[in-house]
Amino acid sequence: MMLIDSHAHLEMPDFKKDLEAVIQRAKESGIGYIFTVGTEKRDWKRTLEIANSYSSVYAILGVHPHHAKEIDGETYPILQKLCRDEKVKAYGEIGLDFYRNLSPRDIQLKRFREQIGFAKEQGFPIVVHDREAHQETLEILRSEKASECGGIIHCFSGDYEMAKVCMDMGFYISIPGSITFNNAERFREIVKKLPLDSLLVETDSPFLTPIPFRGKRNEPSYVRYTAQKVADIKKVPFEKVAEVTSENALRVYRLESLL
Ligand SMILES: [Zn+2]
Ligand SMILES: [Zn+2]
């Protein structure tokens, strides 16, 4: 039995003191692989350093919508170089965050489009972040022909119709720990209807800690609570969820050789 945490941020300062122990605990909990996402320029080197220090960790690099305004003439040449590292398996997370709006919306839209093009040139699937920007996200995925690269809608928060459109474009839907929250009944109803063949599980560590650890720092070993909740909702064995979501993750990250 293996589980995969398809999305975490191990390079964030929250893990500075005990990264080794965090990765060890994940291993002991049956987490075979962790995909860690470097979201801004100052993190990318550290992301690669971690991925290259642990055989169970792979890397994803890109510019998060929060940092879209920081993209300049140097950004893409640097990324192009770093993305040649063989531990990099996807480009992201990219997209739109109209909840926090840490970059102006017009810049987020422009850089999202641009980064889809860049990911395609580099030959990577994309990891999409969409917070309170469902319509705009779908519009850009369509118009930029994101079906040509496919990828993952991470921390999915849209409705069933949106999930369907994304799946039709070749995207997987990644389920975070918030599925365990008491007020997530609507989200659970959506997940119940989604085919297991299109689902991944993730922690988004250090954020979105599932129950029973809500309020504490999240870490990859907790992805099992999310997988257990998916199993409960769908009334299938935990082992089945672990097996299928792991296969899905390895497929989208083009690591079928690890299956
Ligand atoms: Zn995100
Ligand atoms: Zn993230």
Side-chain angles (χ1 to χ4, degrees):
M1 202 275 311
M2 168 172 77
L3 267 171
I4 289 178
D5 182 359
S6 71
H7 189 115
H9 299 284
L10 298 178
E11 52 287 309
M12 285 192 174
D14 311 67
F15 294 108
K16 210 168 184 171
K17 283 196 188 128
D18 63 344
L19 181 65
E20 182 94 39
V22 164
I23 292 174
Q24 187 56 32
R25 270 199 296 280
K27 204 169 271 178
E28 285 159 10
S29 306
I31 317 305
Y33 301 100
I34 302 164
F35 291 80
T36 192
V37 187
T39 58
E40 57 170 318
K41 188 176 176 183
R42 62 156 202 219
D43 282 350
W44 296 329
K45 286 229 166 86
R46 175 82 182 129
T47 305
L48 289 182
E49 202 179 279
I50 296 169
N52 281 296
S53 305
Y54 299 92
S55 57
S56 59
V57 182
Y58 285 91
I60 296 165
L61 301 180
V63 182
H64 191 286
H66 290 345
H67 300 282
K69 62 181 178 210
E70 295 157 24
I71 294 180
D72 59 23
E74 284 188 332
T75 307
Y76 295 115
I78 292 173
L79 278 166
Q80 195 166 13
K81 233 184 231 162
L82 297 178
C83 283
R84 282 193 207 123
D85 188 296
E86 57 175 32
K87 276 270 174 143
V88 178
K89 294 298 165 189
Y91 187 80
E93 55 190 282
I94 58 175
L96 304 170
D97 196 310
F98 288 179
Y99 176 70
R100 295 190 66 194
N101 291 307
L102 295 185
S103 284
R105 290 187 180 189
D106 57 327
I107 293 177
Q108 291 190 43
L109 293 162
K110 173 172 182 259
R111 298 307 191 186
F112 183 24
R113 289 183 188 280
E114 198 176 270
Q115 290 193 88
I116 293 172
F118 179 77
K120 284 201 242 176
E121 279 167 28
Q122 309 299 311
F124 286 118
I126 56 174
V127 175
V128 176
H129 171 107
D130 156 33
R131 192 155 182 210
E132 298 196 1
H134 304 328
Q135 280 318 110
E136 292 86 349
T137 298
L138 280 180
E139 196 281 309
I140 288 181
L141 291 177
R142 270 200 207 99
S143 57
E144 296 303 317
K145 298 190 172 60
S147 56
E148 291 172 8
C149 56
I152 298 163
I153 313 295
H154 111 90
C155 276
F156 183 75
S157 61
D159 59 14
Y160 177 71
E161 297 310 314
M162 178 178 183
K164 257 185 75 177
V165 174
C166 293
M167 292 185 297
D168 286 344
M169 282 193 280
F171 281 80
Y172 288 84
I173 307 296
S174 185
I175 309 300
S178 48
I179 187 108
T180 66
F181 296 175
N182 293 331
N183 63 0
E185 201 45 55
R186 196 187 133 263
F187 185 32
R188 284 190 282 273
E189 285 305 316
I190 295 166
V191 172
K192 194 176 187 172
K193 289 200 274 179
L194 298 178
L196 194 51
D197 284 344
S198 290
L199 299 186
L200 306 180
V201 285
E202 68 170 281
T203 59
D204 203 18
S205 300
F207 313 110
L208 286 178
T209 314
I211 287 174
F213 295 110
R214 194 175 180 185
K216 300 210 175 91
R217 179 191 70 177
N218 202 0
E219 62 170 66
S221 63
Y222 298 166
V223 79
R224 69 181 186 277
Y225 297 101
T226 300
Q228 182 63 58
K229 185 56 84 178
V230 171
D232 295 346
I233 294 167
K234 295 188 148 312
K235 298 188 169 58
V236 297
F238 174 82
E239 290 72 18
K240 181 78 183 162
V241 172
E243 182 193 328
V244 177
T245 57
S246 294
E247 283 170 10
N248 294 343
L250 294 177
R251 199 170 305 120
V252 65
Y253 290 129
R254 298 172 192 159
L255 285 163
E256 287 96 337
S257 60
L258 299 175
L259 274 171

